[in-house]
């Protein structure tokens, strides 16, 4: 081989090696998104993950780290821009504008106000930045994709579970309904699901309330007023999530009366503790890992210039809706602890240790 041939051969070897390195960066596979990282052009890209509030502990403790971990796996060099709007729609608009100004390739957003978020969708799509609605839909202006557990199903499941329990106990009286935020389209779906079970149940709906910003304190204040008005007529309360359920339980305890069966949703640690102790009747297990990782998969596909197809359609938006599981004292060990979703060390503390022991949670 002459010197010119040696130079050509060496150059080719370097080119192949460089191509291999680029192909490896961002490689990795998953059941939903296939092999990631065929396009070196999206390496070092940014993706925004915009969450709605701090009233629910899940966003900081679960959604954020799970999404970031999955994105790190899919694209090690990509950057996640995380912001929480703390129940302020105007603040979330500013956060979205800031993300767009920073050149994000996709936005995953759980909207504070589903109607107001239409402006964010329009702004992003005008700049050809795909929007993935997360947990809460954006009905007025279709996002590019929607990922969530089935919220209407959540409402029907928690309410039907309560109704069946009350009938088994031969309860006589009425039900209170504590809904979520009136500005949250997902809360509207949960509310619709609750009514589908409560309205034909034979139990009178004594009163219902749309809780501003899902604030537990506001739910507690409203329920306190209903206790004064209806007293022992209240045989159960359908609360749309664990926060409003916790506020409801606090109202009964503050009034010094027996806590009736109360529902919840989100499977927060505090809710698991209340179920173990008998204060809360049920919650919904919807492992955040499922939706967080699914949204990362979809965002990564969009970032690579692909257009993922939905499994279904909701509000004219390609969607994937996962089915949740009702959790009561009867199945909490199996669903939350045996599955590894929760650890006994986090739940079975102090006053809850005895209840855990009785349920075989270790």
């Amino acid at each position: 081989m002459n010197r010119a041939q040696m130079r050509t051969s060496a150059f080719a070897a370097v080119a192949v090696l460089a191509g291999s390195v680029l192909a490896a960066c961002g490689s990795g596979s998953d059941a939903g998104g296939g092999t990631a990282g065929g396009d070196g052009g999206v390496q070092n890209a940014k993706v925004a993950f915009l969450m709605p509030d701090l009233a629910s502990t899940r966003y900081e403790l679960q959604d954020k780290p799970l999404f970031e971990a999955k994105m790190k796996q899919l694209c090690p060099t990509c950057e996640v821009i995380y912001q929480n709007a703390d129940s302020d729609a105007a603040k979330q608009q500013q956060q979205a504008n800031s993300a767009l100004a920073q050149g994000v390739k996709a936005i995953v957003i759980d909207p504070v106000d589903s109607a107001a978020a239409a402006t964010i969708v329009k702004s992003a799509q005008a700049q050809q930045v795909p929007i993935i609605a997360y947990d809460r839909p954006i009905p007025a202006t279709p996002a590019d994709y929607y990922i969530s557990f089935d919220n209407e199903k959540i409402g029907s499941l928690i309410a039907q579970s309560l109704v069946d329990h009350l009938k088994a106990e031969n309860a006589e009286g009425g039900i209170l309904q504590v809904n979520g935020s009136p500005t949250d389209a997902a809360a509207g779906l949960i509310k619709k699901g609750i009514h589908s079970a409560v309205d034909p149940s034979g139990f009178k709906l004594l009163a219902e309330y749309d809780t501003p910003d899902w604030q537990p304190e506001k739910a507690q204040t409203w329920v306190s007023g209903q206790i004064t008005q209806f007293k022992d007529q209240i045989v159960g309360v359908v609360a749309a999530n664990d926060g409003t359920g916790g506020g409801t339980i606090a109202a009964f305890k503050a009034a010094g009366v027996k806590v009736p069966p109360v529902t919840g949703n989100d499977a927060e640690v505090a809710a698991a503790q209340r179920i173990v102790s008998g204060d809360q009747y049920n919650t919904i297990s919807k492992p955040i890992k499922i939706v967080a990782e699914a949204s990362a998969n979809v965002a990564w596909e969009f970032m690579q210039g692909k257009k993922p197809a939905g499994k279904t359609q909701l509000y004219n938006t390609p969607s994937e809706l996962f089915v949740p599981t009702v959790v009561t004292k009867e199945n909490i060990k199996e669903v939350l602890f045996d599955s590894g979703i929760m650890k006994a060390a986090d739940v079975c503390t102090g006053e809850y240790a005895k209840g855990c022991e009785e349920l075989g949670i270790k």
Side-chain angles (χ1 to χ4, degrees), residues 7-361:
R7 283 198 301 266
T8 301
S9 180
F11 177 79
V14 170
V16 170
L17 178 60
S20 299
V21 171
L22 284 175
C25 183
S27 67
S29 63
D30 69 283
T35 299
D39 182 2
V42 294
Q43 301 305 321
N44 303 310
K46 297 176 182 177
V47 56
F49 192 63
L50 309 180
M51 295 295 100
D53 63 63
L54 297 170
S56 297
T57 59
R58 53 168 282 195
Y59 299 114
E60 301 290 315
L61 299 180
Q62 297 186 64
D63 299 76
K64 173 183 181 287
L66 288 167
F67 179 84
E68 289 176 336
K70 187 61 179 179
M71 280 305 307
K72 186 73 172 177
Q73 177 191 339
L74 294 169
C75 179
T77 61
C78 288
E79 178 186 351
V80 175
I81 297 174
Y82 171 74
Q83 296 287 339
N84 191 302
D86 196 13
S87 302
D88 186 334
K91 183 177 181 180
Q92 191 168 61
Q93 176 74 64
Q94 293 168 357
Q95 291 170 343
N97 291 343
S98 174
L100 289 169
Q102 294 178 65
V104 295
K105 297 297 184 183
I107 293 177
V108 179
I109 181 171
D110 194 337
V112 172
D113 185 318
S114 297
T119 302
I120 296 174
V121 175
K122 291 175 183 176
S123 298
Q125 291 177 343
Q127 299 182 44
Q128 298 184 319
V129 175
I131 287 272
I132 298 103
Y134 180 87
D135 201 31
R136 304 175 183 180
I138 305 173
T141 302
D144 295 278
Y145 208 93
Y146 173 50
I147 291 177
S148 177
F149 278 90
D150 188 331
N151 286 296
E152 188 171 338
K153 188 71 173 175
I154 287 171
S156 65
L157 285 172
I158 58 175
Q160 192 61 55
S161 171
L162 178 72
V163 166
D164 291 345
H165 174 68
L166 294 177
K167 287 182 176 180
E169 295 293 314
N170 296 315
E172 295 183 4
I175 291 173
L176 295 180
Q177 183 171 327
V178 186
N179 304 311
S181 172
T183 63
D184 176 359
L189 292 170
I190 294 171
K191 180 178 178 178
K192 181 180 178 182
I194 292 172
H195 275 289
S196 73
V198 171
D199 293 353
S201 69
F203 291 100
K204 181 179 179 180
L205 179 59
L206 299 172
E208 69 176 298
Y209 176 66
D210 294 340
T211 311
D213 299 325
W214 292 92
Q215 290 291 334
E217 296 81 5
K218 293 177 180 178
Q220 180 176 348
T221 299
W222 180 79
V223 172
S224 294
Q226 307 315 301
I227 294 170
T228 300
Q229 180 176 352
F230 294 109
K231 300 181 174 62
D232 57 4
Q233 292 181 54
I234 305 169
V235 294
V237 183
V238 184
N241 78 341
D242 290 333
T244 54
T248 295
I249 292 165
F252 280 96
K253 289 191 171 184
V257 296
K258 182 181 178 181
V259 180
V262 176
T263 72
N265 157 38
D266 283 337
E268 294 183 347
V269 168
Q273 291 176 325
R274 290 192 294 266
I275 290 174
V276 165
S277 68
D279 285 333
Q280 183 167 321
Y281 178 66
N282 71 22
T283 187
I284 282 283
S285 174
K286 45 180 188 180
I288 305 304
K289 183 180 176 69
I290 293 175
V291 287
E293 293 192 348
S295 65
N297 288 332
V298 170
W300 177 236
E301 288 193 52
F302 275 119
M303 290 162 72
Q304 295 175 95
K306 301 175 184 178
K307 191 172 183 180
K311 304 289 178 66
T312 185
Q313 286 265 330
L314 187 66
Y315 297 119
N316 297 316
T317 304
S319 305
E320 185 167 10
L321 305 177
F322 298 97
V323 179
T325 303
V326 175
V327 178
T328 65
K329 185 176 283 190
E330 282 67 35
N331 68 349
I332 190 171
K333 177 181 181 293
E334 174 190 357
V335 176
L336 295 185
F337 294 93
D338 293 349
S339 66
I341 293 174
M342 285 188 180
K343 296 178 180 178
D346 297 329
V347 175
C348 305
T349 58
E351 62 185 291
Y352 305 105
K354 182 179 179 181
C356 283
E357 184 179 350
E358 292 173 352
L359 294 175
I361 299 170

